[in-house]
Amino acid sequence: MQYPGKLITFEGLDGCGKSTQLAREAKRLSQRGIPVTATHEPGGTKVGQHIREIVLHAASGAMTSFTELALMFAARAQHVEEVIVPALQSSRTVLCDRFTDSSVAYQGYGRGISLEVIQALEKSLCRGIRPDLTIFLDIDPEIGAQRTDARNRAASEKESRFEQEGLEFFERVRQGYRRIAEQEQKRVRIVDGRGSVAEVHAHISSLVDQFLEVSFPRSRNGV
Ligand code: TYD
């Protein structure tokens, strides 16, 4: 189904800095008069926020990979219905921190669930919504682990169930993202996450501008 709005997703390993970058990009686009909805997964709705607590809190303890996958898609189904589809119908540009590629990278490549299972869930539960553009912020898993450790210490962070995984897990997730990017070069753009926040943001905004120019020639972004 084609909607007048566009869905731009931000993906990458824990600690890659995508939430900071998404907030900057949302602000930049809004300042240019582009109607933006900034949202995130798992979460983005009340139901999704409850699911987020179950799936991310360390206190949830051991969880099967299928439970984890099902919870991610439960949150996503609610998010698509309640937030993403209405925003796209109203011609908004939706910036979403993680989407189905996270399930492919983390539950598929990371946990080893077959990609066919994930594709079947996507097909049944996401109302045909696929990102129009995906920014994959690529960092070394060791750098991501250092950043999330520092963040968790500073904030006595409870959402650390994934961050207890070893480096091999995050290496598999990173390879998964790279495979997705290789297979869908037009949609998924790799951004090197090693630069300063401003450098990385400059790269992201140029990709978003290019994308919007092609999607809406001489229209809302014609500043
Ligand atoms: P997020 O809130 O983006 O945390 P961070 O800023 O640290 O990246 O994501 C929370 C975690 O949820 C992250 O470890 C990735 C995981 N996740 C999945 O495993 N599958 C999914 O489908 C989604 C949406 C997230």
Side-chain angles (χ1 to χ4, degrees):
M1 165 89 67
Q2 272 289 93
Y3 294 106
K6 296 289 170 197
L7 174 61
I8 302 178
T9 59
F10 284 59
E11 294 282 355
L13 294 183
D14 299 56
C16 68
K18 64 189 164 33
S19 54
T20 306
Q21 295 295 341
L22 187 152
R24 281 198 165 212
E25 189 54 13
K27 188 168 169 205
R28 186 185 75 91
L29 294 176
S30 301
Q31 282 168 349
R32 296 175 62 187
I34 296 173
V36 168
T37 295
T39 186
H40 67 277
E41 293 200 353
T45 64
K46 221 168 176 179
V47 169
Q49 208 51 43
H50 286 304
I51 296 173
R52 181 181 176 94
E53 287 196 12
I54 300 171
V55 79
L56 298 188
H57 278 202
S60 295
M63 187 180 286
T64 76
S65 303
F66 282 115
T67 305
E68 190 176 275
L69 178 71
L71 288 171
M72 295 298 182
F73 268 98
R76 183 163 301 129
Q78 187 72 27
H79 193 212
V80 162
E81 198 71 32
E82 203 179 306
V83 176
I84 298 181
V85 165
L88 295 176
Q89 278 170 337
S90 320
S91 305
R92 300 181 72 83
T93 297
V94 178
L95 301 188
C96 188
D97 187 343
R98 297 196 181 283
F99 198 61
T100 306
D101 292 321
S102 282
S103 300
V104 173
Y106 281 75
Q107 282 69 52
Y109 288 92
R111 302 281 193 223
I113 294 181
S114 117
L115 300 187
E116 284 78 49
V117 171
I118 300 174
Q119 280 153 7
L121 286 169
E122 179 190 21
K123 210 164 166 218
S124 328
L125 303 175
C126 296
R127 292 196 41 189
I129 301 292
R130 302 207 81 225
D132 298 291
L133 171 70
T134 296
I135 304 290
F136 164 42
L137 216 46
D138 192 27
I139 50 154
D140 192 302
E142 284 195 43
I143 296 175
Q146 283 162 14
R147 289 189 191 160
T148 50
D149 278 356
R151 182 175 72 189
N152 290 351
R153 272 199 306 275
S156 65
E157 177 65 79
K158 294 195 200 82
E159 293 188 341
S160 57
R161 210 173 57 77
F162 278 93
E163 289 153 13
Q164 292 163 358
E165 291 296 333
L167 279 180
E168 317 77 58
F169 174 78
F170 289 105
E171 199 46 67
R172 289 198 297 278
V173 174
R174 184 190 204 189
Q175 293 315 324
Y177 275 127
R178 288 183 163 180
R179 274 306 290 278
I180 299 171
E182 226 171 78
Q183 285 165 350
E184 289 184 76
Q185 295 178 13
K186 197 159 173 273
R187 170 177 72 88
V188 184
R189 309 306 301 269
I190 303 179
V191 171
D192 186 337
R194 284 174 301 184
S196 68
V197 171
E199 281 163 358
V200 173
H201 185 236
H203 189 177
I204 292 173
S205 29
S206 76
L207 292 172
V208 170
D209 281 347
Q210 265 172 37
F211 165 77
L212 292 176
E213 267 151 36
V214 172
S215 307
F216 305 106
R218 273 182 289 128
S219 64
R220 351 187 271 215
N221 62 317
V223 180

